[in-house]
Amino acid sequence: MKDGIETRLHVDAPLAVGGTVPLGPDQSHYLKNVLRLGPGEGVALFNGRDGEWRAEIAAVSKKSAELAVIEQTRPQRPEPDVWLAFAPIKRARIDFVAQKATELGASLLWPVMTRHTMVDRVNTERLRANAVEAAEQSDRLTVPDVRDPARLEALIEAWPEDRALILADETGGPPIADVLALHRARAITRAGFLIGPEGGFAEPELDRLRKLPFVTPVSLGARLLRADTAALAVLAIWQALVGESTAYHD
Ligand code: SAH
């Protein structure tokens, strides 16, 4: 522990009493050269399955490290089940969305290519790295899944029919708070949001989406929000009205 701030690392290895977890070059470098931690110092570990564990550095060099797993500090527990599908935006803003959506509890991040999407390549590894970092620092016990980009039509085909798809519709709709109040009343906790690109949805896309039985368009108010603002607003509102009140608390 450094300056009272706990170092948390996401790892893939299973976590159990007496186990050892090897680290690759990136995490080893981070512990040794960035945080300047050495043998005997404590680190918290989570892998999305086994809860959170206290571990101690057994050995650390520039290229590798070994952590001794000591004891569980938090059991794994259900986390909010809310997806974020969004038309990709430019680099700094998409990094921001991945980080902040993770902090706000998104369980899955899904880039979606729409007609007016201006970005044609998405670096999903980079999205994942941003999500991992945000999960580590926000005390999450999971990292959101990051899906490969899909065209809007493929997303519609693959969308589970029992998951409410809430469409952030800049052309209008019922206020998001009204729709989510209904979700809360009906204990609908499996949801996902869809945010359009900076150029907005094309009219045929909105027509197609609105006809689907699992889609509900919502308005986020009278102003036009940037796509990144809209993405974070919907998650914050969902957490406030639905998420923390049902799925998250024991
Ligand atoms: N350029 C478009 C706006 C796109 S804003 C236009 O001029 O119409 C990017 C995305 O953010 C939209 O597709 C929508 O999903 C979301 N969004 C922005 N403001 C919104 C609002 N007031 N209500 C609902 N969704 C909104």
Side-chain angles (χ1 to χ4, degrees):
M1 212 174 286
K2 201 103 181 162
D3 302 324
I5 297 167
E6 192 177 43
T7 305
R8 296 181 83 241
L9 291 181
H10 176 261
V11 295
D12 289 324
L15 297 169
V17 182
T20 36
V21 174
L23 298 184
D26 290 350
Q27 287 180 320
S28 304
H29 167 77
Y30 176 68
L31 289 186
K32 186 174 164 60
N33 302 113
V34 180
L35 299 178
R36 304 193 173 283
L37 299 180
E41 291 189 90
V43 177
L45 301 179
F46 67 107
N47 62 8
R49 308 181 300 276
D50 300 322
E52 184 183 72
W53 292 73
R54 189 168 67 79
E56 259 175 34
I57 299 174
V60 59
S61 72
K62 242 192 267 174
K63 294 221 166 86
S64 67
E66 207 161 77
L67 303 178
V69 182
I70 314 276
E71 64 175 355
Q72 196 182 47
T73 45
R74 286 195 288 161
Q76 194 70 34
R77 63 174 191 177
E79 294 193 345
D81 186 8
V82 61
W83 292 6
L84 177 68
F86 58 100
I89 42 186
K90 298 248 167 60
R91 191 170 157 147
R93 285 176 180 272
I94 201 173
D95 285 354
F96 179 78
V97 167
Q99 292 160 11
K100 302 301 154 187
T102 302
E103 286 172 43
L104 287 165
S107 56
L108 180 138
L109 305 176
W110 198 353
V112 51
M113 302 307 206
T114 65
R115 205 173 288 191
H116 298 322
T117 302
M118 300 301 285
V119 172
D120 54 5
R121 273 200 65 251
V122 179
N123 185 340
T124 39
E125 276 320 301
R126 199 182 153 96
L127 278 187
R128 268 191 203 100
N130 275 293
V132 167
E133 203 177 299
E136 288 174 344
Q137 69 82 40
S138 64
D139 255 2
R140 281 181 65 146
L141 293 173
T142 60
V143 172
D145 288 336
V146 176
R147 291 243 174 124
D148 288 332
R151 302 209 59 83
L152 181 60
E153 197 48 44
L155 173 132
I156 290 170
E157 288 301 317
W159 195 272
E161 288 187 7
D162 62 348
R163 178 176 296 274
L165 198 173
I166 303 163
L167 167 67
D169 186 344
E170 69 269 21
T171 67
I176 185 171
D178 292 358
V179 169
L180 293 184
L182 215 63
H183 280 220
R184 183 191 172 115
R186 295 184 184 161
I188 299 170
T189 53
R190 281 161 62 79
F193 290 94
L194 176 58
I195 309 292
E198 294 299 349
F201 287 108
E203 204 45 52
E205 291 175 331
L206 288 174
D207 284 347
R208 167 94 174 99
L209 285 162
R210 289 194 197 110
K211 284 191 186 118
L212 297 166
F214 50 89
V215 170
T216 311
V218 296
S219 165
L220 301 176
R223 287 159 307 281
L224 214 45
L225 307 178
R226 299 288 296 251
D228 47 350
T229 314
L232 306 188
V234 296
L235 289 172
I237 296 167
W238 187 87
Q239 289 294 1
L241 296 183
V242 185
E244 308 293 4
S245 61
T246 52
Y248 200 68
H249 282 307
D250 297 332

